[in-house]
Amino acid sequence: MTRVKSAFNELPTIDVSGLSSADIASRQAVADAIGNASREVGFFYITGHGVAPELIDGVRAAAKSLFALPMAEKMAYYIGHSRSHKGYVPEGEEIYGSGRPDHKEAFDIGFQAPDDHPFVLANTPLIGANEWPELAEFKSRVIAYYDAVFALGHRLFDAFALALGLPEGYFKSMVTCPPSKLRLIHYPFDASAEDVPGIGAHTDYECFTLLLADQPGLEVLNEESVWIDAPPRRGPAGEEAFVINIGDMLEVLSAGAFVATAHRVRKVPQERYSFPLFFACDYHTLIRPLPHFLTAGEASEYQALSIGEHMWSQALQTYRYLREKVATGELQLPARARGTNTFGHLKKQAQQQAAGKEESA
């Protein structure tokens, strides 16, 4: 008889202040809690993260100043005109697996790669200069926030390594000039909106995501196909908690031990700002199950995959301007491209349903 674990009904909260401790036992304790949440849920809140409130206030102010501009001014920075897939994303530009456009606008910022970096010189997709609006303090506020959250991502990656039985720093050499994107996302106020799905169910492409949002709307899919609310929370010191979720690449590395859980955003009446930073490895990193998972039964389900190819192929299937270029033959999907819903709990549910049928047979 196949045992199916009980479904989660809320996201766990983990105080990660111990990751800054000089005591390895303290860091390991946090890593163990992160590992449990990654196996059981694939999503969790973190408090004690150390990102200064003024940096959060700064990125919010930057986003509000940008999205308050007239559409014509925002479209001057349209992502479809970018050389490296960065800039303004109007409502309806992204289409996920459901085939319905989402209900938001966004501005995408990438890792600050210098113009003379070998990846940039080689025209590597997703790597290159950002397009900065001419708004007072926009660039400085956004870069300050990006740098702080990216540094937090490095600490979390060390914790994921410890949780997987690896030494701290194991993943460090894989993250030197990654396609790690920060999105400033705005869900406009809509008094007529019904409480229904906005962004379709999906998993994130990268290793993991660090999300800060100011309003409810995020929902996470559990094993019983029930959508669980993940509203904003604060820690005991009043700090805003980040939501962390496992992405496709970390699921591959752990051969499914860590779960890339499907999630979506409801369409709700209130105005909402959301800031996810998608933490990725370098473009050409070949992602495959770690050596100590190679004998596990699920390891064979995960073929080696270039993180850049996966991220680029997902973008080619999601953004309207890129889908059009693929349709006309101007761009082509990578040979190993996957569909947009091939990981995470959607796969787990199919396995559990199959197991249930076997039990009842």
Side-chain angles (χ1 to χ4, degrees):
M1 181 175 177
T2 302
R3 177 183 176 273
V4 178
K5 68 182 178 64
S6 60
F8 64 89
N9 54 27
E10 65 177 350
L11 306 191
T13 300
I14 301 170
D15 180 351
V16 298
S17 57
L19 295 180
S20 301
S21 172
D23 178 20
I24 182 60
S26 297
R27 301 197 300 275
Q28 185 68 59
V30 176
D32 290 343
I34 287 174
N36 289 337
S38 300
R39 292 179 178 92
E40 295 297 315
V41 180
F43 264 83
F44 52 93
Y45 294 98
I46 61 167
T47 60
H49 46 71
V51 177
E54 56 266 28
L55 297 181
I56 295 173
D57 293 341
V59 77
R60 282 206 177 102
K64 290 179 179 180
S65 67
L66 172 72
F67 294 123
L69 292 174
M71 180 58 71
E73 292 186 36
K74 290 184 285 192
M75 286 300 288
Y77 303 99
Y78 175 50
I79 194 168
H81 300 152
S82 167
R83 290 178 296 174
S84 57
H85 193 57
K86 300 176 180 67
Y88 178 68
V89 183
E91 182 173 335
E93 177 69 27
E94 297 170 84
I95 301 175
Y96 288 90
S98 66
R100 297 190 303 270
D102 57 4
H103 301 280
K104 70 177 190 298
E105 58 180 342
F107 196 89
D108 293 356
I109 299 102
F111 185 82
Q112 288 286 105
D115 290 341
D116 61 351
H117 193 283
F119 291 176
V120 178
L121 296 176
N123 294 316
T124 306
L126 307 175
I127 304 295
N130 287 293
E131 308 283 342
W132 295 108
E134 295 179 4
L135 288 170
E137 298 186 272
F138 182 90
K139 180 179 178 179
S140 61
R141 284 170 166 170
V142 172
I143 288 179
Y145 179 83
Y146 187 107
D147 289 347
V149 179
F150 190 75
L152 173 61
H154 271 295
R155 294 202 301 276
L156 290 174
F157 220 180
D158 281 346
F160 284 123
L162 287 176
L164 290 168
L166 301 167
E168 290 173 303
Y170 181 90
F171 298 113
K172 190 173 182 60
S173 64
M174 301 180 187
V175 186
T176 64
C177 184
S180 292
K181 179 170 60 179
L182 169 66
R183 310 202 74 192
L184 313 183
I185 304 177
H186 176 225
Y187 301 82
F189 171 76
D190 183 358
S192 64
E194 297 178 2
D195 193 6
V196 297
I199 301 178
H202 64 286
T203 59
D204 292 342
Y205 318 145
E206 300 79 5
C207 292
F208 56 94
T209 303
L210 304 95
L211 170 69
L212 187 76
D214 65 350
Q215 296 290 338
L218 176 64
E219 293 183 321
V220 181
L221 190 66
N222 74 8
E223 294 91 333
E224 295 176 347
S225 298
V226 175
W227 290 102
I228 305 301
D229 284 328
R233 286 187 181 174
R234 290 184 178 269
E239 76 277 22
E240 295 185 57
F242 281 84
V243 175
I244 309 299
N245 65 276
I246 305 303
D248 293 346
M249 296 296 97
L250 200 45
E251 176 167 317
V252 173
L253 283 166
S254 66
F258 290 176
V259 182
T261 305
H263 52 284
R264 70 183 184 188
V265 176
R266 296 195 318 275
K267 182 181 179 183
V268 292
Q270 65 265 37
E271 185 176 31
R272 183 175 184 266
Y273 288 89
S274 176
F275 307 112
L277 190 150
F278 302 97
F279 199 91
C281 295
D282 291 345
Y283 189 94
H284 299 293
T285 305
L286 194 63
I287 300 294
R288 70 185 88 192
L290 294 165
H292 56 290
F293 288 108
L294 291 179
T295 58
E298 286 197 346
S300 61
E301 298 183 30
Y302 294 97
Q303 297 177 350
L305 189 66
S306 162
I307 190 169
E309 279 190 2
H310 182 54
M311 291 175 63
W312 183 229
S313 69
Q314 300 303 294
L316 289 170
Q317 296 174 81
T318 301
Y319 286 76
R320 188 181 299 276
Y321 87 94
L322 292 175
R323 289 161 66 110
E324 291 173 355
K325 290 184 177 183
V326 171
T328 61
E330 183 179 347
L331 293 173
Q332 293 184 333
L333 288 172
R336 294 179 291 185
R338 294 172 179 259
T340 55
N341 276 330
T342 56
F343 289 93
H345 270 225
L346 297 176
K347 181 177 79 72
K348 293 289 185 184
Q349 287 160 13
Q351 292 175 339
Q352 290 161 358
Q353 289 168 3
K357 290 178 181 178
E358 289 178 3
E359 290 178 18
S360 62

